[in-house]
Amino acid sequence: MSVFWVILLSALSLGVSSDGLSVNTSSRPVVVNVGAIFTFDSTIGRVAKVAIEEAVKDINANSSVLKGSRFNVIFRNSNCSGFLGLVEALRFMETDILAVIGPQSSVVAHTILHVGNELTTPFVSFSVTDPTLSNLQFPYFVRATQSDLHQMTAVAEIVENYGWKEVIVLFLDDDYGRNGLSALDDALAARRCRVSYKAGIPPGNVSRSDIMDILVKVELTESRVIVLHTYPPTGFMVFSVAHYLGMMDDGYVWIATDWLASAVDSASPFQSAGMMETLQGVIFLRQYAPDSERKLAFSARWNKVTGGSLGLSTYGLYAYDAAWLLAHAIDSFFDQGGSISFSNDSNLISTQGSKLHLDKMVIFDGGPLLLKTLMESDFVGLTGQVKFTDDRSLVRPAYEVINVVGTGLHRVGYWSNYSGLSTKAPEALYLHPPNRSTSTNQLKSVLWPGDSTRTPRGWVFPNNGKQLRIGVPRRVGFKEFVSQVQGTNNSKGFCIDVFTAAVNLLPYAVPYQFVPYGNGLENPSYNELVKLITTGFFDGVVGDIAITTNRTKTVDFTQPYAASGLVVVASVSKRNTGAWAFLRPFSPQLWAVSAAFFVFIGIVVWILEHRMNDEFRGTPKQQLITIFWFSLSTLFFAHRETTVSTLGRAVLIIWLFVVLIINSSYTASLTSILTVQQLYSPIKGIDSLRDGDDHIGYQVGSFAEHYLTEGIGIPKSRLRPLGSPEEYATALKRGPKKGGVAAIVDERPYIELFLASQCQFRIIGQEFTKSGWGFAFPRDSPLAIDLSTAILTLSESGDLQRIHDKWLTTSTCSSDNTELESDRLHLKSFWGLYLLCGMACLLALLVYFIQIINRYRQAARGEVASSEGSSRSKRIQTLLSLIDEKEDISRRDRKRRKLEMSLSEHNGGSRSERERDSVNGHAS
């Protein structure tokens, strides 16, 4: 505020005078005075002045608005000067002005809006788009147009739509340009794009040579997508110089903000034809105003008023609606009991008698109510629905995307805050739910600079003679992948040939030089090598660089050109069958579970057969022997005991099926063990390495060290760095007890090359990580995308495989890379069978005990009641006796035989009678 008051005092010292305080207590005055501050001779100002004058005529001709009061607008020229704008605003504050239409520019707005705050006078702007002019800082500022926050979001979505990652921004270096750039920067960052170069244009009278210097620097940069955010005079000078420098040719993209729309639309047809020559292929945004009968009628009326010398831009429509907005708000202000009254500012009373006449400044007492009615406005104007959101922005912001083609303008689509880019008009999309899918976010075909219909790539290598610095690791071992040519900085190897072949497929030249990295005595740290890209020391890294999560957080990788993953390699030896080979088919867990089930099945069958089968009865010793003998004899299907009960037979059938499967599997596995050559290693995989305490080898510089320590928690003291295949072989042969290692963890390509000549080692288990090798470049580098496409082309054509065969020999050893314990059977393969058998046993026991309980209840009813203690004891004895009691099946057998005899006698008697009847018949 201190800066504001300094400017205020300066303005008043120039002789700002006042005729005194004007007070009108009438609620409906004859004349309602409204101020207007903008630059009359500017592109927007010329259109706005005519539009406001026509709006005043229409307002006064409409009896339903202001109801007898005449709407009067007093114009003041700010000449694009913040100081002059402040002076004119202060002049308004001496009079009975209710509100001010304006200011026009963001620079003036930042200066004079403090006046509205202090004296509670609303300022309604039809053209200030600076997004930093918030209602929190300037509560009496009403933006009756769209904010650059939306416009820059539209620009960012256009950039994203065409797949560009970097843009250059040419902006006017004032509040309007800087704050618009800030909004664009944020919108691009939200879409993983960025502003790669910012070139500020000095405000005021800038010369052609100044623009030339700026564009020469832009031409030397990499990006070819240029966003121009400035004012019309400066913008057209930029296009003229760019055309002269050849920057409007094929490969360039020019995106202009809505300043170009206001200039082209307001120009006369003759002026417009001259502009188009240097604007071919440019795309720009225009604030969208839906077509309507009122708009068409006003356009026809505009041509009559201006005689065709001045075109109607959207800012003219917004200026027209701004006047109507004030008229509707003032009418509502009076309807709500508002009156025009002013009072002195208490902060200025102490300056009475001063030659500055500060006490003449008055506060509009009805300012808060008028501001309230402004925010509550809701009507349909020439620009569509005029209504404000909670943050005081107009509802439904939208823009047209225009392409300059020939001497005309071609609309290629729309952008709206509702559904993004689309070829359909926004009002048609408002009828449906918001949809920002890629199928709807699209534009029509565009004619780009240079009369090209192909979408520009958006970047080139800068034409400044600079070569890309490509870092290449100086390896000590495995030089088949990458190595330095002796005595030069050149490199060779599998990775280098892949990179060279991919670069040759690009549709443009890539100047680069290889820069070796490392001391040549040991493999360099690949993490440090990749980090040098982020510092700018390297423009890329080529080599056997694994794509890991941590590295992708700082750089971008190409499509993997080689599959990779960590594996374990260890020494193996031929395994003799030995005296205990018969135990190897089953794992210890499977042996234990199988033995337990044999005993369990014996117990279950004994329980089910004990009461009715004499073979399962006898002394406790005999019964125990029977249990074990029966269960073990089922292994060979040689059990002599017969099962009598239905439940026992059901359990036995299921168990014999399980035994059949177990026997067959054991026989097959044992046959394989005894007839096929077996390799043995004490290391079973990464899990056994982690649980042990032996030393583990890894390659110097590889990410394997970080994975082993941070990923699976192996202490760093157990790790041994190794640098070459020779060191691998030596360390593995020594073993952990002689200063070597038990196993080596490294990426599969290295291990496969190592095993090509080392047949006494094998890969143990499977890969436990999945990754690949790629070339690293800075984040959002377009070169990474193009090289990925080239690598895919190499793969599809077979060239990638040919390069692989050239450098990497295939293994000459009969390798067995499967897991060494693949012939051993584990419990997980049979748990379903055991589960099925166990459930059958439990179900049979449940049914059996239910039967026992029912018999017990029947027996309990016949007992004589006694004392509580003896009753409980008798019940237990009864239950145990029922379980141990042998069921008398002789009575049941006698009943069955008796029934059979009676049936046979009955059948025999019937036959005798039939035979006797037959004899009598013959006799007769």
Side-chain angles (χ1 to χ4, degrees):
M1 282 304 278
S2 59
V3 176
F4 162 71
W5 287 117
V6 170
I7 298 176
L8 176 64
L9 295 175
S10 301
L12 292 176
S13 65
L14 293 177
V16 178
S17 61
S18 174
D19 295 49
L21 179 65
S22 174
V23 178
N24 190 336
T25 58
S26 173
S27 61
R28 288 282 180 173
V30 177
V31 178
V32 175
N33 291 318
V34 172
I37 300 177
F38 53 89
T39 303
F40 294 166
D41 60 349
S42 65
T43 301
I44 296 176
R46 287 191 293 270
V47 176
K49 190 171 188 302
V50 177
I52 294 174
E53 289 172 348
E54 294 303 310
V56 171
K57 294 178 185 178
D58 293 342
I59 293 170
N60 290 327
N62 192 329
S63 60
S64 63
V65 182
L66 295 179
K67 301 177 179 63
S69 298
R70 186 169 62 87
F71 190 71
N72 181 45
V73 177
I74 303 172
F75 294 93
R76 294 282 187 269
N77 193 352
S78 63
N79 284 322
C80 289
S81 168
F83 178 75
L84 294 180
L86 174 62
V87 171
E88 297 300 337
L90 294 176
R91 290 178 61 190
F92 278 139
M93 297 305 106
E94 301 174 328
T95 62
D96 56 350
I97 294 295
L98 304 187
V100 177
I101 300 176
Q104 174 185 326
S105 70
S106 301
V107 176
V108 178
H110 278 280
T111 304
I112 71 174
L113 289 182
H114 293 285
V115 175
N117 288 354
E118 183 67 24
L119 303 177
T120 65
T121 303
F123 280 73
V124 181
S125 177
F126 56 87
S127 58
V128 170
T129 58
D130 184 354
T132 64
L133 294 171
S134 66
N135 58 308
L136 297 177
Q137 184 181 9
F138 302 108
Y140 283 87
F141 169 64
V142 179
R143 193 196 308 275
T145 187
Q146 303 298 343
S147 168
D148 276 342
L149 191 65
H150 302 301
Q151 180 172 208
M152 295 310 175
T153 301
V155 172
E157 290 198 16
I158 292 174
V159 172
E160 181 187 31
N161 179 71
Y162 290 107
W164 302 317
K165 293 298 182 182
E166 296 183 355
V167 301
I168 296 171
V169 180
L170 303 180
F171 64 98
L172 200 64
D173 198 4
D174 60 5
D175 292 328
Y176 162 74
R178 286 190 298 269
N179 296 330
L181 167 64
S182 178
L184 177 59
D185 212 349
D186 293 341
L188 288 171
R191 291 157 180 80
R192 292 199 64 184
C193 304
R194 70 185 184 95
V195 178
S196 61
Y197 185 78
K198 306 171 185 177
I201 302 174
N205 295 324
V206 60
S207 65
R208 187 178 178 87
S209 61
D210 294 334
I211 300 297
M212 184 81 71
D213 294 339
I214 293 173
L215 290 184
V216 167
K217 295 178 181 178
V218 169
E219 190 178 17
L220 296 177
T221 60
E222 182 178 280
S223 177
R224 286 295 180 263
V225 182
I226 304 172
V227 178
L228 185 57
H229 184 55
T230 181
Y231 294 139
T234 305
F236 285 117
M237 187 181 296
V238 169
F239 281 125
S240 176
V241 175
H243 190 271
Y244 173 78
L245 294 176
M247 297 177 65
M248 302 294 295
D249 294 337
D250 187 18
Y252 282 90
V253 177
W254 287 86
I255 303 175
T257 52
D258 60 0
W259 66 266
L260 183 55
S262 65
V264 173
D265 293 342
S266 61
S268 63
F270 177 76
Q271 292 173 327
S272 179
M275 295 177 183
M276 298 302 174
E277 184 179 353
T278 59
L279 298 178
Q280 292 302 302
V282 174
I283 57 177
F284 62 87
L285 297 178
R286 174 198 284 157
Q287 296 188 37
Y288 177 68
D291 292 332
S292 63
E293 293 183 0
R294 288 188 59 197
K295 179 183 173 183
L296 294 175
F298 186 77
S299 297
R301 173 181 163 191
W302 181 275
N303 292 330
K304 293 180 181 179
V305 172
T306 61
S309 62
L310 183 65
L312 176 61
S313 67
T314 53
Y315 280 110
L317 301 178
Y318 277 105
Y320 181 90
D321 284 350
W324 272 96
L325 172 64
L326 270 175
H328 283 295
I330 292 173
D331 184 53
S332 179
F333 169 80
F334 290 137
D335 289 342
Q336 295 182 31
S339 62
I340 302 177
S341 63
F342 301 87
S343 59
N344 291 319
D345 189 348
S346 59
N347 295 326
L348 302 177
I349 294 178
S350 60
T351 63
Q352 289 183 354
S354 170
K355 294 182 180 181
L356 298 177
H357 304 289
L358 295 179
D359 55 314
K360 301 298 182 181
M361 307 289 294
V362 292
I363 297 175
F364 176 37
D365 296 330
L369 180 58
L370 180 57
L371 179 65
K372 176 177 174 293
T373 58
L374 281 168
M375 292 298 100
E376 293 173 349
S377 298
D378 186 3
F379 66 96
V380 178
L382 297 182
T383 59
Q385 185 179 17
V386 180
K387 183 180 179 181
F388 295 94
T389 61
D390 294 338
D391 61 352
R392 296 189 181 182
S393 299
L394 286 177
V395 297
R396 296 180 174 177
Y399 289 85
E400 296 176 84
V401 183
I402 309 297
N403 181 212
V404 180
V405 179
T407 58
L409 303 179
H410 173 56
R411 183 168 58 202
V412 297
Y414 305 87
W415 178 91
S416 68
N417 196 40
Y418 186 76
S419 57
L421 295 174
S422 175
T423 55
K424 296 182 180 179
E427 59 267 22
L429 300 176
Y430 295 146
L431 303 175
H432 307 283
N435 184 6
R436 287 181 173 266
S437 64
T438 55
S439 60
T440 57
N441 287 8
Q442 55 187 349
L443 299 174
K444 297 178 182 178
S445 59
V446 175
L447 185 67
W448 304 100
D451 295 331
S452 173
T453 57
R454 179 177 55 86
T455 302
R457 191 170 62 249
W459 71 280
V460 295
F461 283 99
N463 187 21
N464 54 10
K466 179 184 176 182
Q467 292 182 318
L468 295 179
R469 288 172 53 86
I470 303 297
V472 178
R474 296 180 65 183
R475 295 193 55 86
V476 176
F478 299 105
K479 293 186 177 181
E480 292 85 351
F481 294 103
V482 58
S483 63
Q484 184 180 2
V485 178
Q486 191 68 27
T488 68
N489 283 336
N490 294 329
S491 299
K492 63 180 181 179
F494 167 69
C495 304
I496 301 300
D497 280 5
V498 173
F499 175 75
T500 304
V503 169
N504 291 337
L505 290 177
L506 298 179
Y508 48 86
V510 180
Y512 65 89
Q513 59 176 339
F514 290 130
V515 181
Y517 176 78
N519 56 19
L521 302 178
E522 63 178 5
N523 294 334
S525 170
Y526 281 24
N527 286 333
E528 296 299 327
L529 177 59
V530 171
K531 284 182 181 178
L532 290 177
I533 297 177
T534 62
T535 63
F537 185 79
F538 287 135
D539 299 311
V541 170
V542 170
D544 46 339
I545 311 298
I547 303 173
T548 63
T549 303
N550 289 334
R551 293 171 184 172
T552 56
K553 293 178 180 179
T554 57
V555 298
D556 279 352
F557 283 90
T558 62
Q559 170 79 17
Y561 62 88
S564 181
L566 292 179
V567 295
V568 176
V569 63
S571 299
V572 294
S573 59
K574 295 181 180 180
R575 186 168 189 174
N576 298 322
T577 55
W580 302 100
F582 67 90
L583 294 176
R584 287 172 53 196
F586 286 175
S587 66
Q589 296 90 341
L590 185 55
W591 277 118
V593 172
S594 299
F597 254 85
F598 273 101
V599 176
F600 176 65
I601 292 298
I603 295 174
V604 171
V605 173
W606 175 84
I607 293 174
L608 299 176
E609 296 291 324
H610 176 69
R611 297 184 67 251
M612 61 183 63
N613 194 336
D614 291 335
E615 294 181 345
F616 288 88
R617 299 185 63 84
T619 65
K621 180 180 179 181
Q622 291 174 337
Q623 295 182 52
L624 187 62
I625 293 174
T626 300
I627 289 174
F628 283 101
W629 168 252
F630 176 82
S631 61
L632 293 177
S633 62
T634 57
L635 178 63
F636 309 102
F637 303 97
H639 51 285
R640 67 182 183 184
E641 293 82 5
T642 59
T643 53
V644 177
S645 67
T646 303
L647 295 176
R649 290 174 177 176
V651 169
L652 184 60
I653 288 174
I654 296 176
W655 172 243
L656 291 178
F657 175 74
V658 174
V659 170
L660 176 64
I661 300 300
I662 295 295
N663 273 341
S664 302
S665 302
Y666 176 84
T667 303
S669 181
L670 182 61
T671 302
S672 174
I673 290 174
L674 296 177
T675 58
V676 179
Q677 179 63 60
Q678 298 293 312
L679 296 178
Y680 168 76
S681 173
I683 304 300
K684 305 306 178 185
I686 188 63
D687 293 333
S688 63
L689 276 180
R690 178 186 55 196
D691 299 336
D693 55 2
D694 294 331
H695 290 154
I696 304 171
Y698 70 93
Q699 185 178 176
V700 176
S702 171
F703 78 98
E705 178 187 11
H706 180 269
Y707 180 84
L708 292 174
T709 56
E710 303 296 332
I712 59 178
I714 295 178
K716 198 169 184 178
S717 59
R718 292 181 55 196
L719 303 183
R720 292 292 182 268
L722 304 172
S724 65
E726 293 75 17
E727 293 183 21
Y728 280 19
T730 302
L732 287 173
K733 289 177 181 178
R734 288 181 179 176
K737 296 181 179 180
K738 297 182 180 180
V741 296
I744 292 174
V745 176
D746 204 354
E747 297 177 68
R748 180 175 284 276
Y750 302 119
I751 297 303
E752 288 179 346
L753 187 61
F754 169 69
L755 294 179
S757 58
Q758 301 290 338
C759 298
Q760 66 271 40
F761 309 112
R762 287 290 186 272
I763 293 176
I764 310 299
Q766 305 297 325
E767 287 183 357
F768 50 91
T769 65
K770 293 291 184 181
S771 63
W773 289 354
F775 305 130
F777 292 93
R779 293 298 298 269
D780 301 322
S781 171
L783 187 58
I785 300 174
D786 290 352
L787 278 177
S788 295
T789 303
I791 290 172
L792 289 175
T793 303
L794 288 175
S795 178
E796 293 171 356
S797 64
D799 290 338
L800 188 60
Q801 184 61 42
R802 283 188 283 272
I803 296 174
H804 178 276
D805 296 340
K806 171 186 174 182
W807 288 98
L808 307 177
T809 58
T810 56
S811 176
T812 58
C813 303
S814 57
S815 60
D816 181 11
N817 292 335
T818 58
E819 194 171 353
L820 292 183
E821 285 200 353
S822 59
D823 291 329
R824 171 166 286 187
L825 301 176
H826 295 270
L827 177 61
K828 62 182 179 181
S829 302
F830 300 96
W831 72 267
L833 284 173
Y834 285 119
L835 178 63
L836 179 64
C837 184
M839 291 177 62
C841 292
L842 294 177
L843 181 61
L845 290 175
L846 178 62
V847 173
Y848 173 79
F849 281 113
I850 290 176
Q851 293 175 351
I852 293 296
I853 295 299
N854 288 335
R855 290 176 179 271
Y856 165 75
R857 288 178 177 175
Q858 293 175 2
R861 293 194 190 101
E863 294 181 356
V864 180
S866 60
S867 63
E868 183 178 355
S870 61
S871 176
R872 184 178 298 123
S873 175
K874 266 195 167 184
R875 288 174 183 175
I876 296 175
Q877 291 176 2
T878 303
L879 179 61
L880 293 177
S881 64
L882 282 174
I883 294 175
D884 187 59
E885 178 186 13
K886 183 179 187 304
E887 184 176 348
D888 186 8
I889 62 172
S890 59
R891 184 188 311 167
R892 185 175 60 187
D893 292 341
R894 286 195 299 269
K895 288 182 179 180
R896 185 173 65 250
R897 285 195 297 269
K898 184 177 181 180
L899 179 61
E900 292 174 352
M901 290 175 63
S902 63
L903 288 174
S904 62
E905 289 176 357
H906 175 73
N907 293 334
S910 298
R911 283 197 302 270
S912 299
E913 291 177 358
R914 285 196 300 269
E915 290 174 356
R916 187 169 54 251
D917 292 340
S918 177
V919 170
N920 294 332
H922 286 293
S924 63

